[in-house]
Amino acid sequence: MREFWDTVTATQTVPEAPWLIGAGLVALVLVVWRGSWRTVRLGVTVVHEAGHAVVAVLVGRRLAGIKLHSDTSGVTLSRGKPSGPGMVAMLAAGYLAPALLGLLSATMLAAGHALGLLWLLVAAMLVLLLWVRNGYGLVVLLVLGAALGAISWYADGRIQTIAATLVTWLLLLASPRPLLELLGRGERGRRGSDPDQLAGLTGIPSVLWILVLLAVNVAGLVVGVQTLIPDLSWI
């Protein structure tokens, strides 16, 4: 166990800026291209629902479970007071979770802990398995966890760094898109969404909630890029 811990916490070579930018461009294509976005969005949904679940527990709500659906949507079920700051925090956490995890990932990657990041994601998948409450969600988590676990255990350091870098970019770049999609649906298309529920709890229009969450995600993207590539003087 000690040898495993030493391996996980060991530092790897931090990729150079041109390579990081190249990986970022690949991730951008995967986020923008319609053919790949559905798969990327499913991963974002996993993080989204995990954000709801973690904050629900932190604010003292009783977590009932998570469901992931084949249309890339998801739902987190919890019991507790139906209003108040805790409920607001839990609802807002979903759309903020991908950007926050992306920032954490960028920080770890910049510090040379690509392998540590991968194992952290594997551990998160294992915890989520305890909360998932439908068959499709179970399959999704098993596939994601197995893929990340295989890379973390069997791949060489270069492949592990590539995987960690791509995951980081995907989290940062993908976090604003679901909010942009929600913004484009119109008021009717937003009914039942997190911003719509936040509007009901706070009296603040759902559009304003979307814009605030979007601004935070964009800020997270900017800070994440600066963390990964602090010096662009080589351009």
Side-chain angles (χ1 to χ4, degrees):
M1 180 61 69
R2 182 174 181 179
E3 183 179 352
F4 173 75
W5 179 252
D6 290 340
T7 301
V8 170
T9 57
T11 57
Q12 293 79 41
T13 302
V14 179
E16 296 182 355
W19 194 93
L20 284 168
I21 291 177
L25 292 175
V26 172
L28 181 61
V29 170
L30 293 175
V31 170
V32 173
W33 183 39
R34 187 174 180 179
S36 56
W37 169 239
R38 184 181 179 86
T39 301
V40 174
R41 198 186 196 290
L42 184 57
V44 172
T45 298
V46 171
V47 179
H48 179 112
E49 300 306 329
H52 283 316
V54 169
V55 175
V57 172
L58 291 177
V59 300
R61 297 181 64 82
R62 182 179 178 184
L63 185 62
I66 295 173
K67 293 183 179 181
L68 303 171
H69 304 299
S70 58
D71 63 354
T72 73
S73 66
V75 62
T76 297
L77 306 172
S78 64
R79 300 185 181 93
K81 188 177 178 181
S83 61
M87 188 67 179
V88 171
M90 187 200 74
L91 287 171
Y95 280 110
L96 297 178
L100 292 175
L101 182 57
L103 277 175
L104 174 62
S105 300
T107 301
M108 294 183 68
L109 192 63
H113 293 295
L115 181 57
L117 169 60
L118 292 176
W119 278 115
L120 176 64
L121 295 174
V122 171
M125 294 297 128
L126 292 175
V127 173
L128 289 175
L129 283 173
L130 301 176
W131 288 342
V132 71
R133 293 295 181 268
N134 68 326
Y136 184 81
L138 180 64
V139 171
V140 169
L141 293 177
L142 286 174
V143 170
L144 287 175
L148 291 170
I151 293 172
S152 303
W153 188 264
Y154 295 108
D156 60 26
R158 183 179 180 183
I159 299 300
Q160 291 167 351
T161 300
I162 290 173
T165 304
L166 190 59
V167 167
T168 300
W169 275 117
L170 286 173
L171 288 167
L172 292 171
L173 292 169
S175 60
R177 181 163 176 176
L179 287 162
L180 291 172
E181 293 176 343
L182 194 60
L183 193 63
R185 291 180 189 173
E187 184 176 353
R188 179 175 297 179
R190 292 193 291 269
R191 288 178 183 171
S193 66
D194 294 344
D196 184 59
Q197 294 180 65
L198 286 167
L201 288 172
T202 64
I204 299 173
S206 61
V207 172
L208 185 55
W209 272 110
I210 293 173
L211 292 176
V212 169
L213 294 171
L214 181 60
V216 174
N217 280 326
V218 171
L221 172 59
V222 172
V223 175
V225 172
Q226 292 176 339
T227 301
L228 287 172
I229 315 171
D231 183 12
L232 295 176
S233 60
W234 60 272
I235 298 179

